[in-house]
Amino acid sequence: MQKDKSEFKVSFVDGFETLKIKNSKTKQVQLINNLEASITDKPSHLEINDYNFDGFTDFAVYHTDDGMGVYTIYQIFIFNPKNKQFESLKFPSNFNPQCDMFCDIKVDKSKKILTSSCRGGAKFHTDFWKYDKNKKLILAQTLSD
């Protein structure tokens, strides 16, 4: 339930390639097509969280990577309270993160940081994402070990 009392029912359709989101208050239905599903049939899952720290509930669709399954790939959807729709959180292209997608996402609500972790070669990388004053996602820091 959103802080404005909206409730949503989210379900997968079309073999996990489409999300159907129904607003129980307005009865509006939103369809999100072309989800990033596993090409090796690994199951997709939903996770509920506030990924942009605005007090509204967002969600993510995730599955383990199609390689060795060492990390989890996330596609994040942010609730827009103005139009009461969910919008895909675009991976920022104007930064140089170590992970080229959202992987193994952790949400730190106290610091308002999203952490994305991945493996590249023999190293593990962690990208720290935060929101600037204009509510745009920016890369705050990258660590490799």
Side-chain angles (χ1 to χ4, degrees):
M1 180 182 302
Q2 298 293 8
K3 65 182 182 181
D4 69 354
K5 307 291 188 228
S6 297
E7 289 187 30
F8 295 88
K9 180 180 179 184
V10 179
S11 57
F12 288 105
V13 293
D14 298 335
F16 293 95
E17 292 182 15
T18 301
L19 277 177
K20 179 180 177 182
I21 305 164
K22 184 174 182 181
N23 185 324
S24 61
K25 195 174 188 180
T26 66
K27 306 299 183 209
Q28 287 180 318
V29 173
Q30 177 185 1
L31 294 176
I32 297 175
N33 298 307
N34 303 316
L35 290 177
E36 296 173 17
S38 167
I39 60 172
T40 58
D41 294 328
K42 293 183 179 176
S44 292
H45 306 277
L46 287 174
E47 179 178 289
I48 307 296
N49 215 322
D50 182 3
Y51 293 99
N52 64 343
F53 313 104
D54 66 351
F56 286 96
T57 301
D58 310 309
F59 69 91
V61 177
Y62 67 92
H63 63 85
T64 55
D65 71 271
D66 289 313
M68 297 195 51
V70 295
Y71 53 88
T72 305
I73 300 168
Y74 279 71
Q75 188 173 8
I76 300 171
F77 296 91
I78 303 296
F79 181 72
N80 182 333
K82 292 178 185 168
N83 63 14
K84 302 205 181 309
Q85 299 275 306
F86 290 89
E87 300 167 355
S88 180
L89 178 61
K90 300 296 182 208
F91 194 81
S93 60
N94 54 336
F95 296 97
N96 192 22
Q98 290 296 317
C99 303
D100 62 356
M101 60 186 71
F102 294 120
C103 300
D104 291 345
I105 292 291
K106 303 285 186 251
V107 178
D108 186 331
K109 291 182 181 182
S110 64
K111 294 180 182 176
K112 296 186 177 182
I113 291 177
L114 295 178
T115 304
S116 178
S117 302
C118 63
R119 182 176 171 174
K123 291 188 174 188
F124 286 94
H125 307 288
T126 304
D127 297 322
F128 297 89
W129 298 94
K130 68 177 185 174
Y131 289 86
D132 67 11
K133 62 182 179 181
N134 298 317
K135 299 182 182 178
K136 298 289 184 194
L137 190 63
I138 61 170
L139 183 63
Q141 182 182 16
T142 295
L143 298 175
S144 296
D145 57 346

